[in-house]
Amino acid sequence: MKIRKASPADERAVRSLWSYCFEPATDPFFIWYFQRLVHMEEVLVGEEGGSIACDLHLRPYEISVRGHSYQTDYIVGVATHPAARGRGLAKELLRGSFHAAQREGRAFQILMPSAASFYLPLGFGFYCHQWARSAAPEKLALLGKRAARAKSISSADEWQELASVYDAYTGNRNGYALRDEASWRRHIEAALLEGYGALVYDGDGPCGYLFYTISDRKLAVSEMAFSSEAGRRGLYAFLAGHQGSVRECLWYEPLDDTSYRTWPDGAEHCYIENRTFPFMLGRIVDPVAAFDGLSCDRRLSGELAFQLTDAFLPENSGIYVLRAEDGRIRALKEDVFYSLKCHIEDISGLPLGEHIPEPSFTLSASALAEWFFGAADLSELLALDLIRWLDGADRDQIQRLADAMLPKQKNWINEWY
C-alpha cells in the first residue's frame, strides 16, 4: 500500500469514504466540515491499485502539556473502504501518520477513540477521561442558582467572552487545546450549526457558557466551562429551566471535579447518574522531542534513565535519559548521548568519562504516553504494574525524582474533531 498526502484530485474519494463511514453528504456537519475545515494536504491516504483504500484526517492543533505548547495532529476520521477491510491497512496507515509526524517535528499525536482496544496496542495511552453526568432537569434545580443574567450565543463574534471563561477554566489544567480567534470562530460555528449555545453572567461579566443540542426530549451538552462556582451553578440553573421540554440533561465535567461532595444527599446515588467517559488518547512519536525542554522545579537536580519498548515503532525502542537542571528537563536517547559525548570530546579535547546512566525501569509506549501527559505519575504507573523495575535500580530515589520531575496533572480537553 502506498501512503501519501491527499491531493485536490482525491477530494471526491475522500468525501465518499467519509460519507460512507460517518455522516451522509447531505448532513449539515458534513457540508460545513468539507467547506470550512478540511484541506486535502491534511488528509493521509492509503492507495492500492490507483484507488484509495483507507484514509485519516490530521487536524492541526496546539496543545498545552505541562505548561509547554506543542503543535500536534488530532487524528480523526480513520476509515477503510469496505472492500479493503480485515487486512490491517488502517494500522499501517496510522504507522505512516506517526512517521509523517516525526518528519514534521511533531512530538505526539492525539485521537478520540471509538474503540480504544484497537488503538492501545499501537502505543496510544489514555490521557483524558471526563465525568459524563445526567439528571432530570427538575433534579438539577437542586444544584443550580439562577445567574444574574443569561443569554443565547448567536454568533462567532462573541468568541472573546467565551475565551475569557475558557482561559480561566483551563488555568490550572493540562492537555487542553490552545484556541485563538480563528479556532474559536470555527468552534462556535460548528456548535451552532448542530445546536445552541448559552452564556451566563455574574456582576463582573461572563462566568460560564455551554453548547448543547436537543433531540427526543434529551438535552446533550457538548461543551461546558465556567470561571467560578457561580458560573457552574448558573449553568445548572439554565439546564434546569428546561423542565417540561426535556426529560434528561447530559453534560460533561473534568475528572478532577469533586463538587459532588457539596451536593444535597451526595447526589451521585440519588438523582445524578455519574460515569467516566474515556475522551482522549495520546501517542508519543518522538520521546526526546516530547520531554526535552519541559519545566521543572529549579531546585531539582538529578537524572534517571529508562528503557522504552515500543513494539509498533521499534525504532523508538531504546534507553532514554532525563536530566533535571536549571529548571528544565533535558532528554536524550542513549545512542544520541554517546554521539554527543564523542563530539564534545573531539572538539574540546577533554575526556568526559564513561558515565552513561543505567536504565532503572522499563515501560511500554502506552505507559510512556500516560506518564508524559500526566495522566499518572511514576508511582501510580508502578502501582498499576505498568512499569517494571530493572535490577540494580535505587528504587526509592528514582521514584522520588521522577514524581518531582513529572507530577500527575489535572487533564482536560474537549475537542471532538
Side-chain angles (χ1 to χ4, degrees):
M1 181 176 68
K2 179 183 178 181
I3 297 174
R4 60 174 176 83
K5 288 186 176 182
S7 70
D10 298 312
E11 185 166 353
R12 183 176 179 180
V14 170
R15 284 173 172 254
S16 177
L17 192 51
W18 185 286
S19 66
Y20 186 91
C21 297
F22 308 110
E23 298 91 7
T26 55
D27 186 273
F29 179 82
F30 179 99
I31 296 169
W32 177 84
Y33 181 75
F34 279 95
Q35 284 182 348
R36 293 278 287 122
L37 220 59
V38 176
H39 302 283
M40 285 300 107
E41 65 268 20
E42 296 167 358
V43 178
L44 201 65
V45 302
E47 184 181 63
E48 283 194 329
S51 298
I52 293 178
C54 53
D55 72 7
L56 56 81
H57 297 226
L58 298 169
R59 299 286 310 117
Y61 270 87
E62 187 175 1
I63 303 295
S64 177
V65 178
R66 300 184 181 275
H68 188 79
S69 173
Y70 292 86
Q71 299 294 326
T72 189
D73 300 315
Y74 181 5
I75 300 172
V76 302
V78 180
T80 304
H81 192 282
R85 293 177 182 175
R87 295 161 44 205
L89 299 186
K91 291 181 180 179
E92 289 309 306
L93 185 63
L94 282 160
R95 197 194 312 271
S97 80
F98 300 159
H99 289 154
Q102 290 170 340
R103 290 192 299 270
E104 294 173 7
R106 307 282 202 254
F108 58 85
Q109 294 181 311
I110 61 174
L111 180 147
M112 185 180 183
S114 56
S117 58
F118 176 81
Y119 296 101
L120 291 172
L122 310 186
F124 283 93
F126 269 114
Y127 90 80
C128 182
H129 280 61
Q130 293 187 19
W131 288 126
R133 289 171 167 157
S134 61
E138 59 269 21
K139 297 300 184 181
L140 262 174
L142 300 173
L143 306 181
K145 183 178 180 181
R146 189 175 299 279
R149 183 164 69 95
K151 74 168 189 176
S152 294
I153 300 168
S154 59
S155 167
D157 291 337
E158 299 166 81
W159 71 272
Q160 287 177 304
E161 290 191 300
L162 276 67
S164 68
V165 175
Y166 181 86
D167 291 346
Y169 192 64
T170 57
N172 68 340
R173 294 199 165 92
N174 178 68
Y176 57 90
L178 295 164
R179 298 177 182 171
D180 58 12
E181 179 179 352
S183 58
W184 264 115
R185 287 184 176 277
R186 291 192 298 267
H187 191 73
I188 295 169
E189 284 177 7
L192 296 184
L193 183 72
E194 297 190 296
Y196 312 92
L199 261 167
V200 296
Y201 296 78
D202 60 16
D204 297 321
C207 60
Y209 72 83
L210 50 76
F211 294 110
Y212 62 98
T213 59
I214 298 177
S215 178
D216 297 327
R217 301 195 71 228
K218 179 178 181 179
L219 188 158
V221 176
S222 60
E223 179 164 306
M224 170 175 162
F226 42 85
S227 57
S228 64
E229 188 60 22
R232 186 213 300 265
R233 291 185 179 275
L235 294 174
Y236 284 172
F238 178 85
L239 295 174
H242 288 78
Q243 294 180 46
S245 59
V246 304
R247 67 175 185 276
E248 180 188 12
C249 296
L250 169 69
W251 72 101
Y252 301 90
E253 295 192 61
L255 202 61
D256 62 84
D257 175 67
T258 56
S259 61
Y260 52 81
R261 293 188 294 106
T262 66
W263 293 351
D265 298 319
E268 297 286 344
H269 302 294
C270 300
Y271 49 84
I272 303 290
E273 181 180 337
N274 202 55
R275 62 182 178 83
T276 58
F277 176 52
F279 199 88
M280 194 68 71
L281 292 165
R283 211 300 178 187
I284 307 298
V285 299
D286 186 337
V288 171
F291 287 95
D292 191 54
L294 285 176
S295 299
C296 64
D297 192 322
R298 294 191 66 85
R299 297 166 296 180
L300 196 62
S301 177
E303 65 185 16
L304 59 85
F306 62 87
Q307 183 176 19
L308 173 65
T309 302
D310 192 334
F312 197 69
L313 289 180
E315 66 270 23
N316 279 357
S317 294
I319 296 171
Y320 292 83
V321 180
L322 302 182
R323 178 177 294 114
E325 55 185 16
D326 299 325
R328 295 285 176 186
I329 295 174
R330 299 303 173 192
L332 287 168
K333 194 175 181 184
E334 189 183 69
D335 56 350
V336 179
F337 191 104
Y338 276 115
S339 299
L340 181 62
K341 168 183 171 292
C342 293
H343 177 66
I344 293 173
E345 287 181 334
D346 286 344
I347 63 176
S348 68
L350 298 174
L352 298 181
E354 299 300 325
H355 173 64
I356 302 295
E358 291 295 325
S360 299
F361 55 88
T362 183
L363 76 171
S364 67
S366 293
L368 182 73
E370 291 200 23
W371 190 32
F372 165 73
F373 282 104
D377 57 18
L378 189 76
S379 294
E380 185 173 348
L381 292 171
L382 285 164
L384 293 170
D385 205 23
L386 296 177
I387 286 178
R388 180 172 59 85
W389 286 114
L390 297 175
D391 292 341
D394 186 341
R395 300 184 180 188
D396 290 340
Q397 180 182 344
I398 293 298
Q399 192 168 335
R400 286 194 300 270
L401 177 60
D403 289 349
M405 289 172 67
L406 298 162
K408 188 173 180 177
Q409 301 291 307
K410 293 181 178 181
N411 288 352
W412 181 82
I413 187 171
N414 203 69
E415 313 304 315
W416 293 78
Y417 50 85

